[in-house]
Amino acid sequence: MGVYPWVAWFAFRRYTAYPLGSGAEALTNTVFGFIRASVLIALWRARPGLGGYDTADAVTFCFLTQALIGPVQVFGGMELTERIRNGDVAIDLYRPTALQGWWLADDLGRAAGSLLLRGVLPLVAGALVFPFHWPGPAGAAAFTVAVTLGVLVSFGLRYLVTLCSFWLHDGRGMDAVALVLSLFFSGMTVPLVVFPGLLGTVARGLPWAAQIQVPADVYLGKHTGTGLLGALAFQAVWAMALLAAGHVLTGMARRKLVIHGG
Amino acid sequence: MRAEPGMIEAEDVAKSFTVRKRSGRLRRTRTTLDAVDGVSFTVRRGEFVGYLGPNGAGKSTTIKMLTGILTPSSGSLRVCGLDPARRRTELARRIGVVFGQRTTLWWDLPLRDSLTLIRRLYRVDAAAHRTRLAELTALLELEPFLDTPVRQLSLGQRMRGDLAAALLHGPELLVLDEPTIGLDVVSKATVRGFLERLNTERGTTILLTTHDLGDIERLCRRVMIIDHGRLAFDGGLDRLRATVGADRMLVVELARPGPPVVLDGIEVLRTEGPRQWLRLPNAVNAAAVVSALAERHEVRDISLREADIEEVLAGLYRGDHAYWCSGRPVAP
Ligand SMILES: Nc1ncnc2c1ncn2[C@@H]1O[C@H](COP(=O)(O)OP(=O)(O)O)[C@@H](O)[C@H]1O
Ligand SMILES: [Mg+2]
């Protein structure tokens, strides 16, 4: 372990050092939450019980996703990308630690800060205005685990995209694809439970589902007993696979490295 | 193996990059750029070496190889007896690096916090950390801004913070890539004084990349010059000056245009109207020359300039002394 908990802790402090910006984002996410909620309410009025959700489930889901935008960084991106482009990554590569480990720790700290500053407001606001579900203590514990795993998966995905900057001169195309996949397959746009047939099955099996859909379902108590364990295992397996891929790709990047700038 | 291996041993080290260039609408051609093209040198324990060269010469690339960030394309490299690219982690615990244009410090946190994190990173025990931090704080005068967020520090303060960060784990070798670039005079003086003491009192080996002649003259007994990826010079500062004739130059403005002045041991390199450019070998006393001139001629203005390192280098590569009279305006 060594330095990593410290990296996470300092990252947490770093991301919470300027709370005003986060506050503004929390407010924006809340406002969009209300807009999305009214659309979802209309949808569930027309199709009650759609995807196994009732209206309160759908609304809760909506505000949960709004709260998780920051922590799982649905819109993608990492500070490391910019550092690769401008050459500051030399500093990261020089440190006597693993590149992925360092930035994972950093991201966990960031996610915790983000949950606090950008997650609480949408949830509370949604709960005050709409019919809402609150989990019991066990549910809350499971949700905590699911969000943590969701952050790991999100990091794993973003880290892989970021590492491509070592090879690509212009990562914008890559970022755009990553963004669409993330928005569509995480459940951010519409809950994955309403995706029909094969598309739904596939979507629910992809790693993006582990970012938002699974934590939300855990929160809503849609998984119980072994089902719950299965859901968490699904996340954990994706997290491990992505981090393993990240590890391999980091090694490749180190070997054929291009560092931009002096 | 020799009894006392060098701190840095480079043998025919090269690094080439593949560069893709657009050539036409869709076509791209790949070319190879030899950033470092076979350099060999040894830096012994306790030396203070200046590593110079024009922009794009390959200095930073060399440093990235020395620190294990980049793997050489060919040649053999040993730093502290280790192969940097293979034993990067181990090596990082024994050397310190400052990349002048970048920072290891965290922008949003006070300097003190970054230093705490670095203590954890290098696993320095608490007592040793306290002693070293106190020492570095005193020498680099960090006290006034230890609790200031790094983003609010001046460049000079930040650089001193970065130096402290690079030295908290007590490295044997310190590698500096343009640490004084853009610093104000006071910060430069602090940094130079500090590096000098570090080298003489601590015996820390230092490799310094800089464009600043002041840095080199004050600090480096030995300089290595790289150009187009090759070592063009490796030796003492005096020998460098002798080799390229890097004497001082006296620019005299006489009252009237006239023939080149005649003074013992002084060569007039160029005249332009009332102005004359006189080469002043290091052995010659400038004051004596000035008073001799004033005795024989009506002198309007006089200025003495040291060759600056860019020009010395330029002269070295061209193999002539044209740099004296070309380049920047020589107005007083
Ligand atoms: N990652 C890279 N890809 C391609 N060319 C590079 C890269 N890094 C450096 N270069 C080139 O290698 C040469 C040496 O660069 P560098 O070592 O940074 O020079 P210096 O530090 O002496 O100014 C330059 O021509 C530079 O453009
Ligand atoms: Mg450079």
Side-chain angles (χ1 to χ4, degrees), chain A residues 15-209:
Chain A
Y15 286 102
T16 50
Y18 298 94
L20 273 179
S22 300
E25 283 187 50
L27 200 63
T28 312
N29 291 349
T30 307
V31 171
F32 272 93
F34 281 102
I35 297 170
R36 285 184 60 209
S38 43
V39 173
L40 291 179
I41 287 170
L43 182 59
W44 258 265
R45 254 195 211 129
R47 308 268 310 271
L50 179 63
Y53 281 14
D54 60 25
T55 309
D57 286 339
V59 168
T60 307
F61 182 93
C62 163
F63 282 97
L64 269 177
T65 58
Q66 292 301 113
L68 288 177
I69 285 178
V72 303
Q73 198 106 337
V74 191
F75 297 113
M78 271 183 83
E79 199 183 331
L80 179 59
T81 314
E82 185 49 29
R83 291 175 70 81
I84 293 173
R85 301 220 168 114
N86 67 22
D88 279 351
V89 71
I91 300 263
D92 301 325
L93 291 167
Y94 168 70
R95 285 193 197 103
T97 48
L99 185 73
Q100 180 171 242
W102 179 278
W103 285 98
L104 173 58
D106 182 89
D107 206 57
L108 288 173
R110 179 203 58 78
S114 183
L115 194 62
L116 193 71
L117 292 181
R118 292 163 67 177
V120 174
L121 184 63
L123 272 189
V124 171
L128 288 177
V129 175
F130 294 100
F132 207 78
H133 283 306
W134 290 105
F143 177 64
T144 307
V145 176
V147 169
T148 308
L149 289 169
V151 172
L152 287 179
V153 169
S154 144
F155 170 82
L157 287 165
R158 284 177 292 124
Y159 183 74
L160 288 175
V161 172
T162 289
L163 276 196
C164 293
S165 314
F166 276 121
W167 287 275
L168 298 175
H169 282 271
D170 185 355
R172 277 176 296 185
M174 182 93 188
D175 291 346
V177 172
L179 175 63
V180 169
L181 289 172
S182 173
L183 285 182
F184 195 66
F185 287 117
S186 64
M188 182 69 213
T189 327
V190 213
L192 298 183
V193 289
V194 308
F195 282 25
L198 185 63
L199 178 64
T201 313
V202 170
R204 288 188 291 272
L206 292 174
W208 292 279

Side-chain angles (χ1 to χ4, degrees), chain A residues 3 6-7 10-11 13-14 18 86-88 90-91 93-97 102 169 254 257 259-262, chain B residues 20 60 64 67 69-70 88-89 92-93 95-97 99 102-104 106 108-109 113 117 120-122 151:
Chain A
V3 72
W6 291 92
V7 176
F10 280 105
R13 293 200 23 220
R14 185 152 78 96
Y18 298 94
N86 67 22
D88 279 351
I91 300 263
L93 291 167
Y94 168 70
R95 285 193 197 103
T97 48
W102 179 278
H169 282 271
R254 272 195 190 277
L257 197 61
I259 301 172
H260 303 280
Chain B
R20 281 183 214 83
S60 297
K64 283 171 191 156
T67 51
I69 298 172
L70 288 177
R88 182 182 58 84
T89 310
R93 298 190 185 283
I95 67 176
V97 182
F99 296 98
R102 317 189 184 288
T103 184
T104 29
W106 281 9
D108 299 320
L109 295 180
D113 288 349
L117 189 70
R120 300 289 169 179
L121 179 58
Y122 288 95
R151 69 163 69 252

